[in-house]
Amino acid sequence: MASSVALHQLTNCFFIDSQEQSALSYTRPRYSFTRHRGSSVTNNLIRPIKASSVETPPFPLFQPPKVEESPSELEPADPDFYKIGYVRSMRAYGVEFKEGPDGFGVYASKDVEPLRRARMIMEIPIELMLTISKKLPWMFFPDIIPIGHPIFDIINSTDPEIDWDLRMACLLLYAFDCKDNFWQLYGDFLPSADECTSLLLATEEELLELQDENLASNMRKQQHRALEFWEKNWHSGAPLKIRRLAHDPERFIWAVSMAQSRCINMQMRIGALVQDANMIVPYADMLNHSFQPNCFFHWRFKDRMLEVMINAGQQIKKGEEMTINYMNGQMNDIFMQRYGFSSPVNPWDVLPFSGNARIHLDSFLSTFNISGLPEEYYHNSQLTRNGDSFVDGAVVAAARTLPTWSDRDIPPLPSEERKAVKELQEECQKMLAKFPTTSKEDQKLLDTMVEASRPLEAAIKYRLHRKKFIEKVIKSLDIYQERLLF
């Protein structure tokens, strides 16, 4: 492997506005923020972030080709943390980074009119990212690990098929310890262990609050896997340069939770090399999740930039949030397992019906103005009656998960449909009865909790969202009868 060179020569040359000196704080989506104190980077390594007008020589390893920029039509954003800079600047246009109802996020700073083409709101150079190839041989961009460093042997010992998060956690911890590395500064914008909702950091009591034994069992296995990896490589005989990266297992497990919740998987091209990579992208990781996102990622290979683009034809009002879809076609338990949050309107949730009752699919879809193929169901709002807002992702999920039959030539018989609807509702009631608590009790608990841990709060919300989904299915079946079966 070619020798590696650490990123250096801090330029601090981002957009600067002397009138705006308020310190910004950062959290992952759905976290409240305080500055991260669990870092292995000591205070004397984090220098004050000041503007500098002194020009520095170009970075010796990464000298991007001179290409014509593609300036955005939107206005540049100017948060304080742009003053963290290396070699090439990260740029953002028409957005602002601020605290919202779901935590820190990215919001439109002006109205965005729909266009026939996508437009850029962020561009982040590869020098600021942490990337590692998904397949052997491991390739890092930027290549910050020097030949012979034991952290590479630890990364090389991981399972190529399943241990991508362990590799990324090792790379992240090494970046925190690498002199003059960008992540020593950006690490202050990551949530600490106390602020993280990841179930990797949950206690056994908090896992039991999920009221989902399968999910709790999966998280116990993941916790054990991370702990076993730490004990294998961070033992007392390990070199000091390794032990100082993660003095205790909590530090390493926190790094794994950051890797899981902030990493994206993307195909990138550098010159003639095309490869799939796991990437942690600063600034872009502040985008929150939505099942109906207004933005997407695009790799600009000519100068090794990740672009955040607004969808073509998308209209966004000032103050609306910019979002992406973290994962498509996944249930809430998968979101909880990786990101530590769930949604009551996940259109891909599933209920385990086991009876023989079936309702007429086409009639159910037409009742709620749901269109498209099963893998592309959406609510046709233009056909909505009197601004009806009942239909959301949960009703779309019901259209996918309810047992149905479909024959366009045979209309449903009202008597048979009523019988099927009643049987399905009774099965839903049995599902609700299996939970130790009701949705009202869960909501009351959330409203009265004081200083609860983040994993505990996420666990209670998860079980509440499961119950609300079942209740939504019951209600949708009631409306189905009212509107169709008179």
Side-chain angles (χ1 to χ4, degrees), residues 402-426:
L402 283 169
T404 59
W405 63 278
S406 180
D407 191 330
R408 296 182 184 275
D409 297 328
I410 303 178
L413 295 176
S415 59
E416 293 298 323
E417 286 292 291
R418 285 195 184 93
K419 181 180 178 181
V421 166
K422 184 178 180 180
E423 290 181 12
L424 292 174
Q425 288 179 321
E426 289 176 351

mmCIF file with all atom_site columns, all heavy atoms in Angstrom, residues 402-426:
data_model
loop_
_atom_site.group_PDB
_atom_site.id
_atom_site.type_symbol
_atom_site.label_atom_id
_atom_site.label_alt_id
_atom_site.label_comp_id
_atom_site.label_asym_id
_atom_site.label_entity_id
_atom_site.label_seq_id
_atom_site.pdbx_PDB_ins_code
_atom_site.Cartn_x
_atom_site.Cartn_y
_atom_site.Cartn_z
_atom_site.occupancy
_atom_site.B_iso_or_equiv
_atom_site.pdbx_formal_charge
_atom_site.auth_seq_id
_atom_site.auth_comp_id
_atom_site.auth_asym_id
_atom_site.auth_atom_id
_atom_site.pdbx_PDB_model_num
ATOM 1   N N   . LEU A 1 402 ? -51.952 -5.285  4.486   1.00 0.00 ? 402 LEU A N   1
ATOM 2   C CA  . LEU A 1 402 ? -53.221 -5.967  4.711   1.00 0.00 ? 402 LEU A CA  1
ATOM 3   C C   . LEU A 1 402 ? -53.395 -7.144  3.744   1.00 0.00 ? 402 LEU A C   1
ATOM 4   O O   . LEU A 1 402 ? -53.066 -7.024  2.561   1.00 0.00 ? 402 LEU A O   1
ATOM 5   C CB  . LEU A 1 402 ? -54.384 -4.990  4.524   1.00 0.00 ? 402 LEU A CB  1
ATOM 6   C CG  . LEU A 1 402 ? -54.654 -4.009  5.673   1.00 0.00 ? 402 LEU A CG  1
ATOM 7   C CD1 . LEU A 1 402 ? -55.639 -2.932  5.239   1.00 0.00 ? 402 LEU A CD1 1
ATOM 8   C CD2 . LEU A 1 402 ? -55.199 -4.765  6.887   1.00 0.00 ? 402 LEU A CD2 1
ATOM 9   N N   . PRO A 1 403 ? -53.905 -8.270  4.214   1.00 0.00 ? 403 PRO A N   1
ATOM 10  C CA  . PRO A 1 403 ? -54.194 -9.390  3.301   1.00 0.00 ? 403 PRO A CA  1
ATOM 11  C C   . PRO A 1 403 ? -55.306 -8.980  2.328   1.00 0.00 ? 403 PRO A C   1
ATOM 12  O O   . PRO A 1 403 ? -56.365 -8.521  2.752   1.00 0.00 ? 403 PRO A O   1
ATOM 13  C CB  . PRO A 1 403 ? -54.658 -10.505 4.240   1.00 0.00 ? 403 PRO A CB  1
ATOM 14  C CG  . PRO A 1 403 ? -54.168 -10.112 5.600   1.00 0.00 ? 403 PRO A CG  1
ATOM 15  C CD  . PRO A 1 403 ? -54.174 -8.616  5.615   1.00 0.00 ? 403 PRO A CD  1
ATOM 16  N N   . THR A 1 404 ? -55.041 -9.109  1.042   1.00 0.00 ? 404 THR A N   1
ATOM 17  C CA  . THR A 1 404 ? -56.004 -8.630  0.045   1.00 0.00 ? 404 THR A CA  1
ATOM 18  C C   . THR A 1 404 ? -56.195 -9.650  -1.064  1.00 0.00 ? 404 THR A C   1
ATOM 19  O O   . THR A 1 404 ? -55.402 -10.578 -1.229  1.00 0.00 ? 404 THR A O   1
ATOM 20  C CB  . THR A 1 404 ? -55.530 -7.307  -0.576  1.00 0.00 ? 404 THR A CB  1
ATOM 21  O OG1 . THR A 1 404 ? -54.249 -7.501  -1.194  1.00 0.00 ? 404 THR A OG1 1
ATOM 22  C CG2 . THR A 1 404 ? -55.427 -6.206  0.460   1.00 0.00 ? 404 THR A CG2 1
ATOM 23  N N   . TRP A 1 405 ? -57.264 -9.446  -1.823  1.00 0.00 ? 405 TRP A N   1
ATOM 24  C CA  . TRP A 1 405 ? -57.463 -10.170 -3.068  1.00 0.00 ? 405 TRP A CA  1
ATOM 25  C C   . TRP A 1 405 ? -57.812 -9.132  -4.126  1.00 0.00 ? 405 TRP A C   1
ATOM 26  O O   . TRP A 1 405 ? -58.299 -8.046  -3.824  1.00 0.00 ? 405 TRP A O   1
ATOM 27  C CB  . TRP A 1 405 ? -58.574 -11.214 -2.936  1.00 0.00 ? 405 TRP A CB  1
ATOM 28  C CG  . TRP A 1 405 ? -59.934 -10.648 -2.651  1.00 0.00 ? 405 TRP A CG  1
ATOM 29  C CD1 . TRP A 1 405 ? -60.430 -10.278 -1.446  1.00 0.00 ? 405 TRP A CD1 1
ATOM 30  C CD2 . TRP A 1 405 ? -60.962 -10.405 -3.604  1.00 0.00 ? 405 TRP A CD2 1
ATOM 31  N NE1 . TRP A 1 405 ? -61.706 -9.799  -1.561  1.00 0.00 ? 405 TRP A NE1 1
ATOM 32  C CE2 . TRP A 1 405 ? -62.070 -9.872  -2.883  1.00 0.00 ? 405 TRP A CE2 1
ATOM 33  C CE3 . TRP A 1 405 ? -61.084 -10.577 -4.985  1.00 0.00 ? 405 TRP A CE3 1
ATOM 34  C CZ2 . TRP A 1 405 ? -63.255 -9.509  -3.498  1.00 0.00 ? 405 TRP A CZ2 1
ATOM 35  C CZ3 . TRP A 1 405 ? -62.274 -10.227 -5.598  1.00 0.00 ? 405 TRP A CZ3 1
ATOM 36  C CH2 . TRP A 1 405 ? -63.337 -9.696  -4.861  1.00 0.00 ? 405 TRP A CH2 1
ATOM 37  N N   . SER A 1 406 ? -57.521 -9.442  -5.388  1.00 0.00 ? 406 SER A N   1
ATOM 38  C CA  . SER A 1 406 ? -57.725 -8.451  -6.429  1.00 0.00 ? 406 SER A CA  1
ATOM 39  C C   . SER A 1 406 ? -58.185 -9.127  -7.710  1.00 0.00 ? 406 SER A C   1
ATOM 40  O O   . SER A 1 406 ? -57.545 -10.033 -8.217  1.00 0.00 ? 406 SER A O   1
ATOM 41  C CB  . SER A 1 406 ? -56.427 -7.669  -6.689  1.00 0.00 ? 406 SER A CB  1
ATOM 42  O OG  . SER A 1 406 ? -56.611 -6.710  -7.702  1.00 0.00 ? 406 SER A OG  1
ATOM 43  N N   . ASP A 1 407 ? -59.310 -8.673  -8.199  1.00 0.00 ? 407 ASP A N   1
ATOM 44  C CA  . ASP A 1 407 ? -59.811 -9.095  -9.504  1.00 0.00 ? 407 ASP A CA  1
ATOM 45  C C   . ASP A 1 407 ? -60.690 -7.967  -10.014 1.00 0.00 ? 407 ASP A C   1
ATOM 46  O O   . ASP A 1 407 ? -61.783 -7.732  -9.501  1.00 0.00 ? 407 ASP A O   1
ATOM 47  C CB  . ASP A 1 407 ? -60.623 -10.394 -9.392  1.00 0.00 ? 407 ASP A CB  1
ATOM 48  C CG  . ASP A 1 407 ? -60.932 -10.991 -10.765 1.00 0.00 ? 407 ASP A CG  1
ATOM 49  O OD1 . ASP A 1 407 ? -61.051 -10.220 -11.729 1.00 0.00 ? 407 ASP A OD1 1
ATOM 50  O OD2 . ASP A 1 407 ? -61.048 -12.223 -10.851 1.00 0.00 ? 407 ASP A OD2 1
ATOM 51  N N   . ARG A 1 408 ? -60.202 -7.237  -10.988 1.00 0.00 ? 408 ARG A N   1
ATOM 52  C CA  . ARG A 1 408 ? -60.888 -6.036  -11.446 1.00 0.00 ? 408 ARG A CA  1
ATOM 53  C C   . ARG A 1 408 ? -62.270 -6.330  -12.036 1.00 0.00 ? 408 ARG A C   1
ATOM 54  O O   . ARG A 1 408 ? -63.095 -5.432  -12.157 1.00 0.00 ? 408 ARG A O   1
ATOM 55  C CB  . ARG A 1 408 ? -60.026 -5.309  -12.474 1.00 0.00 ? 408 ARG A CB  1
ATOM 56  C CG  . ARG A 1 408 ? -58.710 -4.805  -11.903 1.00 0.00 ? 408 ARG A CG  1
ATOM 57  C CD  . ARG A 1 408 ? -57.904 -4.045  -12.949 1.00 0.00 ? 408 ARG A CD  1
ATOM 58  N NE  . ARG A 1 408 ? -56.618 -3.642  -12.435 1.00 0.00 ? 408 ARG A NE  1
ATOM 59  C CZ  . ARG A 1 408 ? -56.422 -2.532  -11.730 1.00 0.00 ? 408 ARG A CZ  1
ATOM 60  N NH1 . ARG A 1 408 ? -57.427 -1.728  -11.474 1.00 0.00 ? 408 ARG A NH1 1
ATOM 61  N NH2 . ARG A 1 408 ? -55.211 -2.227  -11.303 1.00 0.00 ? 408 ARG A NH2 1
ATOM 62  N N   . ASP A 1 409 ? -62.528 -7.558  -12.437 1.00 0.00 ? 409 ASP A N   1
ATOM 63  C CA  . ASP A 1 409 ? -63.810 -7.887  -13.056 1.00 0.00 ? 409 ASP A CA  1
ATOM 64  C C   . ASP A 1 409 ? -64.867 -8.287  -12.036 1.00 0.00 ? 409 ASP A C   1
ATOM 65  O O   . ASP A 1 409 ? -66.049 -8.400  -12.371 1.00 0.00 ? 409 ASP A O   1
ATOM 66  C CB  . ASP A 1 409 ? -63.633 -9.029  -14.065 1.00 0.00 ? 409 ASP A CB  1
ATOM 67  C CG  . ASP A 1 409 ? -62.711 -8.625  -15.207 1.00 0.00 ? 409 ASP A CG  1
ATOM 68  O OD1 . ASP A 1 409 ? -62.707 -7.435  -15.556 1.00 0.00 ? 409 ASP A OD1 1
ATOM 69  O OD2 . ASP A 1 409 ? -62.001 -9.503  -15.722 1.00 0.00 ? 409 ASP A OD2 1
ATOM 70  N N   . ILE A 1 410 ? -64.469 -8.518  -10.793 1.00 0.00 ? 410 ILE A N   1
ATOM 71  C CA  . ILE A 1 410 ? -65.427 -8.982  -9.785  1.00 0.00 ? 410 ILE A CA  1
ATOM 72  C C   . ILE A 1 410 ? -65.482 -7.963  -8.657  1.00 0.00 ? 410 ILE A C   1
ATOM 73  O O   . ILE A 1 410 ? -64.513 -7.817  -7.905  1.00 0.00 ? 410 ILE A O   1
ATOM 74  C CB  . ILE A 1 410 ? -65.018 -10.355 -9.220  1.00 0.00 ? 410 ILE A CB  1
ATOM 75  C CG1 . ILE A 1 410 ? -64.880 -11.373 -10.349 1.00 0.00 ? 410 ILE A CG1 1
ATOM 76  C CG2 . ILE A 1 410 ? -66.021 -10.820 -8.164  1.00 0.00 ? 410 ILE A CG2 1
ATOM 77  C CD1 . ILE A 1 410 ? -64.439 -12.729 -9.890  1.00 0.00 ? 410 ILE A CD1 1
ATOM 78  N N   . PRO A 1 411 ? -66.570 -7.231  -8.496  1.00 0.00 ? 411 PRO A N   1
ATOM 79  C CA  . PRO A 1 411 ? -66.667 -6.274  -7.393  1.00 0.00 ? 411 PRO A CA  1
ATOM 80  C C   . PRO A 1 411 ? -66.804 -7.004  -6.060  1.00 0.00 ? 411 PRO A C   1
ATOM 81  O O   . PRO A 1 411 ? -67.287 -8.150  -6.010  1.00 0.00 ? 411 PRO A O   1
ATOM 82  C CB  . PRO A 1 411 ? -67.948 -5.500  -7.732  1.00 0.00 ? 411 PRO A CB  1
ATOM 83  C CG  . PRO A 1 411 ? -68.756 -6.450  -8.538  1.00 0.00 ? 411 PRO A CG  1
ATOM 84  C CD  . PRO A 1 411 ? -67.778 -7.267  -9.330  1.00 0.00 ? 411 PRO A CD  1
ATOM 85  N N   . PRO A 1 412 ? -66.367 -6.364  -4.975  1.00 0.00 ? 412 PRO A N   1
ATOM 86  C CA  . PRO A 1 412 ? -66.478 -7.021  -3.660  1.00 0.00 ? 412 PRO A CA  1
ATOM 87  C C   . PRO A 1 412 ? -67.920 -7.107  -3.210  1.00 0.00 ? 412 PRO A C   1
ATOM 88  O O   . PRO A 1 412 ? -68.724 -6.207  -3.460  1.00 0.00 ? 412 PRO A O   1
ATOM 89  C CB  . PRO A 1 412 ? -65.669 -6.096  -2.748  1.00 0.00 ? 412 PRO A CB  1
ATOM 90  C CG  . PRO A 1 412 ? -65.754 -4.752  -3.410  1.00 0.00 ? 412 PRO A CG  1
ATOM 91  C CD  . PRO A 1 412 ? -65.764 -5.028  -4.879  1.00 0.00 ? 412 PRO A CD  1
ATOM 92  N N   . LEU A 1 413 ? -68.262 -8.190  -2.546  1.00 0.00 ? 413 LEU A N   1
ATOM 93  C CA  . LEU A 1 413 ? -69.594 -8.338  -1.961  1.00 0.00 ? 413 LEU A CA  1
ATOM 94  C C   . LEU A 1 413 ? -69.596 -7.657  -0.596  1.00 0.00 ? 413 LEU A C   1
ATOM 95  O O   . LEU A 1 413 ? -68.750 -7.985  0.257   1.00 0.00 ? 413 LEU A O   1
ATOM 96  C CB  . LEU A 1 413 ? -69.950 -9.809  -1.803  1.00 0.00 ? 413 LEU A CB  1
ATOM 97  C CG  . LEU A 1 413 ? -70.096 -10.613 -3.105  1.00 0.00 ? 413 LEU A CG  1
ATOM 98  C CD1 . LEU A 1 413 ? -70.352 -12.080 -2.775  1.00 0.00 ? 413 LEU A CD1 1
ATOM 99  C CD2 . LEU A 1 413 ? -71.206 -10.044 -3.966  1.00 0.00 ? 413 LEU A CD2 1
ATOM 100 N N   . PRO A 1 414 ? -70.494 -6.712  -0.339  1.00 0.00 ? 414 PRO A N   1
ATOM 101 C CA  . PRO A 1 414 ? -70.483 -5.982  0.932   1.00 0.00 ? 414 PRO A CA  1
ATOM 102 C C   . PRO A 1 414 ? -70.484 -6.878  2.162   1.00 0.00 ? 414 PRO A C   1
ATOM 103 O O   . PRO A 1 414 ? -69.753 -6.628  3.112   1.00 0.00 ? 414 PRO A O   1
ATOM 104 C CB  . PRO A 1 414 ? -71.760 -5.135  0.844   1.00 0.00 ? 414 PRO A CB  1
ATOM 105 C CG  . PRO A 1 414 ? -71.958 -4.922  -0.625  1.00 0.00 ? 414 PRO A CG  1
ATOM 106 C CD  . PRO A 1 414 ? -71.517 -6.210  -1.269  1.00 0.00 ? 414 PRO A CD  1
ATOM 107 N N   . SER A 1 415 ? -71.286 -7.926  2.132   1.00 0.00 ? 415 SER A N   1
ATOM 108 C CA  . SER A 1 415 ? -71.349 -8.789  3.306   1.00 0.00 ? 415 SER A CA  1
ATOM 109 C C   . SER A 1 415 ? -70.027 -9.488  3.572   1.00 0.00 ? 415 SER A C   1
ATOM 110 O O   . SER A 1 415 ? -69.569 -9.592  4.725   1.00 0.00 ? 415 SER A O   1
ATOM 111 C CB  . SER A 1 415 ? -72.467 -9.820  3.135   1.00 0.00 ? 415 SER A CB  1
ATOM 112 O OG  . SER A 1 415 ? -72.228 -10.621 1.972   1.00 0.00 ? 415 SER A OG  1
ATOM 113 N N   . GLU A 1 416 ? -69.382 -9.970  2.520   1.00 0.00 ? 416 GLU A N   1
ATOM 114 C CA  . GLU A 1 416 ? -68.103 -10.648 2.677   1.00 0.00 ? 416 GLU A CA  1
ATOM 115 C C   . GLU A 1 416 ? -67.005 -9.669  3.107   1.00 0.00 ? 416 GLU A C   1
ATOM 116 O O   . GLU A 1 416 ? -66.129 -10.004 3.911   1.00 0.00 ? 416 GLU A O   1
ATOM 117 C CB  . GLU A 1 416 ? -67.713 -11.330 1.369   1.00 0.00 ? 416 GLU A CB  1
ATOM 118 C CG  . GLU A 1 416 ? -68.606 -12.482 0.968   1.00 0.00 ? 416 GLU A CG  1
ATOM 119 C CD  . GLU A 1 416 ? -68.565 -13.619 1.989   1.00 0.00 ? 416 GLU A CD  1
ATOM 120 O OE1 . GLU A 1 416 ? -67.485 -13.879 2.555   1.00 0.00 ? 416 GLU A OE1 1
ATOM 121 O OE2 . GLU A 1 416 ? -69.623 -14.230 2.243   1.00 0.00 ? 416 GLU A OE2 1
ATOM 122 N N   . GLU A 1 417 ? -67.049 -8.440  2.553   1.00 0.00 ? 417 GLU A N   1
ATOM 123 C CA  . GLU A 1 417 ? -66.044 -7.437  2.925   1.00 0.00 ? 417 GLU A CA  1
ATOM 124 C C   . GLU A 1 417 ? -66.192 -7.050  4.393   1.00 0.00 ? 417 GLU A C   1
ATOM 125 O O   . GLU A 1 417 ? -65.194 -6.889  5.102   1.00 0.00 ? 417 GLU A O   1
ATOM 126 C CB  . GLU A 1 417 ? -66.174 -6.203  2.035   1.00 0.00 ? 417 GLU A CB  1
ATOM 127 C CG  . GLU A 1 417 ? -65.666 -6.412  0.613   1.00 0.00 ? 417 GLU A CG  1
ATOM 128 C CD  . GLU A 1 417 ? -64.152 -6.600  0.571   1.00 0.00 ? 417 GLU A CD  1
ATOM 129 O OE1 . GLU A 1 417 ? -63.408 -5.642  0.839   1.00 0.00 ? 417 GLU A OE1 1
ATOM 130 O OE2 . GLU A 1 417 ? -63.713 -7.720  0.260   1.00 0.00 ? 417 GLU A OE2 1
ATOM 131 N N   . ARG A 1 418 ? -67.429 -6.864  4.858   1.00 0.00 ? 418 ARG A N   1
ATOM 132 C CA  . ARG A 1 418 ? -67.630 -6.520  6.272   1.00 0.00 ? 418 ARG A CA  1
ATOM 133 C C   . ARG A 1 418 ? -67.092 -7.613  7.190   1.00 0.00 ? 418 ARG A C   1
ATOM 134 O O   . ARG A 1 418 ? -66.465 -7.333  8.218   1.00 0.00 ? 418 ARG A O   1
ATOM 135 C CB  . ARG A 1 418 ? -69.124 -6.314  6.553   1.00 0.00 ? 418 ARG A CB  1
ATOM 136 C CG  . ARG A 1 418 ? -69.675 -5.011  6.026   1.00 0.00 ? 418 ARG A CG  1
ATOM 137 C CD  . ARG A 1 418 ? -71.039 -4.724  6.649   1.00 0.00 ? 418 ARG A CD  1
ATOM 138 N NE  . ARG A 1 418 ? -71.610 -3.519  6.068   1.00 0.00 ? 418 ARG A NE  1
ATOM 139 C CZ  . ARG A 1 418 ? -72.437 -3.494  5.028   1.00 0.00 ? 418 ARG A CZ  1
ATOM 140 N NH1 . ARG A 1 418 ? -72.788 -4.639  4.457   1.00 0.00 ? 418 ARG A NH1 1
ATOM 141 N NH2 . ARG A 1 418 ? -72.915 -2.359  4.562   1.00 0.00 ? 418 ARG A NH2 1
ATOM 142 N N   . LYS A 1 419 ? -67.322 -8.836  6.816   1.00 0.00 ? 419 LYS A N   1
ATOM 143 C CA  . LYS A 1 419 ? -66.832 -9.953  7.616   1.00 0.00 ? 419 LYS A CA  1
ATOM 144 C C   . LYS A 1 419 ? -65.309 -9.971  7.651   1.00 0.00 ? 419 LYS A C   1
ATOM 145 O O   . LYS A 1 419 ? -64.694 -10.156 8.715   1.00 0.00 ? 419 LYS A O   1
ATOM 146 C CB  . LYS A 1 419 ? -67.359 -11.269 7.036   1.00 0.00 ? 419 LYS A CB  1
ATOM 147 C CG  . LYS A 1 419 ? -66.919 -12.500 7.801   1.00 0.00 ? 419 LYS A CG  1
ATOM 148 C CD  . LYS A 1 419 ? -67.480 -13.763 7.170   1.00 0.00 ? 419 LYS A CD  1
ATOM 149 C CE  . LYS A 1 419 ? -67.002 -15.006 7.914   1.00 0.00 ? 419 LYS A CE  1
ATOM 150 N NZ  . LYS A 1 419 ? -67.516 -16.257 7.286   1.00 0.00 ? 419 LYS A NZ  1
ATOM 151 N N   . ALA A 1 420 ? -64.682 -9.745  6.492   1.00 0.00 ? 420 ALA A N   1
ATOM 152 C CA  . ALA A 1 420 ? -63.218 -9.738  6.433   1.00 0.00 ? 420 ALA A CA  1
ATOM 153 C C   . ALA A 1 420 ? -62.637 -8.571  7.222   1.00 0.00 ? 420 ALA A C   1
ATOM 154 O O   . ALA A 1 420 ? -61.645 -8.727  7.953   1.00 0.00 ? 420 ALA A O   1
ATOM 155 C CB  . ALA A 1 420 ? -62.760 -9.674  4.976   1.00 0.00 ? 420 ALA A CB  1
ATOM 156 N N   . VAL A 1 421 ? -63.271 -7.400  7.091   1.00 0.00 ? 421 VAL A N   1
ATOM 157 C CA  . VAL A 1 421 ? -62.793 -6.224  7.826   1.00 0.00 ? 421 VAL A CA  1
ATOM 158 C C   . VAL A 1 421 ? -62.870 -6.469  9.330   1.00 0.00 ? 421 VAL A C   1
ATOM 159 O O   . VAL A 1 421 ? -61.939 -6.147  10.083  1.00 0.00 ? 421 VAL A O   1
ATOM 160 C CB  . VAL A 1 421 ? -63.617 -4.978  7.431   1.00 0.00 ? 421 VAL A CB  1
ATOM 161 C CG1 . VAL A 1 421 ? -63.373 -3.841  8.418   1.00 0.00 ? 421 VAL A CG1 1
ATOM 162 C CG2 . VAL A 1 421 ? -63.262 -4.535  6.026   1.00 0.00 ? 421 VAL A CG2 1
ATOM 163 N N   . LYS A 1 422 ? -63.974 -7.046  9.784   1.00 0.00 ? 422 LYS A N   1
ATOM 164 C CA  . LYS A 1 422 ? -64.126 -7.314  11.213  1.00 0.00 ? 422 LYS A CA  1
ATOM 165 C C   . LYS A 1 422 ? -63.066 -8.284  11.714  1.00 0.00 ? 422 LYS A C   1
ATOM 166 O O   . LYS A 1 422 ? -62.484 -8.087  12.796  1.00 0.00 ? 422 LYS A O   1
ATOM 167 C CB  . LYS A 1 422 ? -65.533 -7.874  11.477  1.00 0.00 ? 422 LYS A CB  1
ATOM 168 C CG  . LYS A 1 422 ? -65.827 -8.089  12.950  1.00 0.00 ? 422 LYS A CG  1
ATOM 169 C CD  . LYS A 1 422 ? -67.248 -8.598  13.169  1.00 0.00 ? 422 LYS A CD  1
ATOM 170 C CE  . LYS A 1 422 ? -67.528 -8.808  14.648  1.00 0.00 ? 422 LYS A CE  1
ATOM 171 N NZ  . LYS A 1 422 ? -68.915 -9.315  14.890  1.00 0.00 ? 422 LYS A NZ  1
ATOM 172 N N   . GLU A 1 423 ? -62.783 -9.322  10.960  1.00 0.00 ? 423 GLU A N   1
ATOM 173 C CA  . GLU A 1 423 ? -61.772 -10.298 11.377  1.00 0.00 ? 423 GLU A CA  1
ATOM 174 C C   . GLU A 1 423 ? -60.383 -9.658  11.442  1.00 0.00 ? 423 GLU A C   1
ATOM 175 O O   . GLU A 1 423 ? -59.603 -9.930  12.367  1.00 0.00 ? 423 GLU A O   1
ATOM 176 C CB  . GLU A 1 423 ? -61.766 -11.477 10.404  1.00 0.00 ? 423 GLU A CB  1
ATOM 177 C CG  . GLU A 1 423 ? -63.005 -12.362 10.498  1.00 0.00 ? 423 GLU A CG  1
ATOM 178 C CD  . GLU A 1 423 ? -62.947 -13.535 9.536   1.00 0.00 ? 423 GLU A CD  1
ATOM 179 O OE1 . GLU A 1 423 ? -61.858 -13.779 8.966   1.00 0.00 ? 423 GLU A OE1 1
ATOM 180 O OE2 . GLU A 1 423 ? -63.985 -14.203 9.338   1.00 0.00 ? 423 GLU A OE2 1
ATOM 181 N N   . LEU A 1 424 ? -60.061 -8.808  10.465  1.00 0.00 ? 424 LEU A N   1
ATOM 182 C CA  . LEU A 1 424 ? -58.762 -8.139  10.466  1.00 0.00 ? 424 LEU A CA  1
ATOM 183 C C   . LEU A 1 424 ? -58.644 -7.173  11.641  1.00 0.00 ? 424 LEU A C   1
ATOM 184 O O   . LEU A 1 424 ? -57.579 -7.081  12.277  1.00 0.00 ? 424 LEU A O   1
ATOM 185 C CB  . LEU A 1 424 ? -58.557 -7.396  9.146   1.00 0.00 ? 424 LEU A CB  1
ATOM 186 C CG  . LEU A 1 424 ? -58.389 -8.271  7.903   1.00 0.00 ? 424 LEU A CG  1
ATOM 187 C CD1 . LEU A 1 424 ? -58.341 -7.413  6.644   1.00 0.00 ? 424 LEU A CD1 1
ATOM 188 C CD2 . LEU A 1 424 ? -57.132 -9.125  7.998   1.00 0.00 ? 424 LEU A CD2 1
ATOM 189 N N   . GLN A 1 425 ? -59.704 -6.453  11.951  1.00 0.00 ? 425 GLN A N   1
ATOM 190 C CA  . GLN A 1 425 ? -59.672 -5.544  13.093  1.00 0.00 ? 425 GLN A CA  1
ATOM 191 C C   . GLN A 1 425 ? -59.525 -6.303  14.407  1.00 0.00 ? 425 GLN A C   1
ATOM 192 O O   . GLN A 1 425 ? -58.809 -5.865  15.313  1.00 0.00 ? 425 GLN A O   1
ATOM 193 C CB  . GLN A 1 425 ? -60.930 -4.683  13.110  1.00 0.00 ? 425 GLN A CB  1
ATOM 194 C CG  . GLN A 1 425 ? -60.961 -3.622  12.016  1.00 0.00 ? 425 GLN A CG  1
ATOM 195 C CD  . GLN A 1 425 ? -62.233 -2.807  12.040  1.00 0.00 ? 425 GLN A CD  1
ATOM 196 O OE1 . GLN A 1 425 ? -63.321 -3.342  12.278  1.00 0.00 ? 425 GLN A OE1 1
ATOM 197 N NE2 . GLN A 1 425 ? -62.115 -1.516  11.786  1.00 0.00 ? 425 GLN A NE2 1
ATOM 198 N N   . GLU A 1 426 ? -60.176 -7.441  14.515  1.00 0.00 ? 426 GLU A N   1
ATOM 199 C CA  . GLU A 1 426 ? -60.036 -8.250  15.729  1.00 0.00 ? 426 GLU A CA  1
ATOM 200 C C   . GLU A 1 426 ? -58.607 -8.750  15.897  1.00 0.00 ? 426 GLU A C   1
ATOM 201 O O   . GLU A 1 426 ? -58.075 -8.789  17.011  1.00 0.00 ? 426 GLU A O   1
ATOM 202 C CB  . GLU A 1 426 ? -61.008 -9.434  15.673  1.00 0.00 ? 426 GLU A CB  1
ATOM 203 C CG  . GLU A 1 426 ? -62.471 -9.042  15.844  1.00 0.00 ? 426 GLU A CG  1
ATOM 204 C CD  . GLU A 1 426 ? -63.399 -10.222 15.689  1.00 0.00 ? 426 GLU A CD  1
ATOM 205 O OE1 . GLU A 1 426 ? -62.915 -11.311 15.272  1.00 0.00 ? 426 GLU A OE1 1
ATOM 206 O OE2 . GLU A 1 426 ? -64.608 -10.075 15.988  1.00 0.00 ? 426 GLU A OE2 1
#
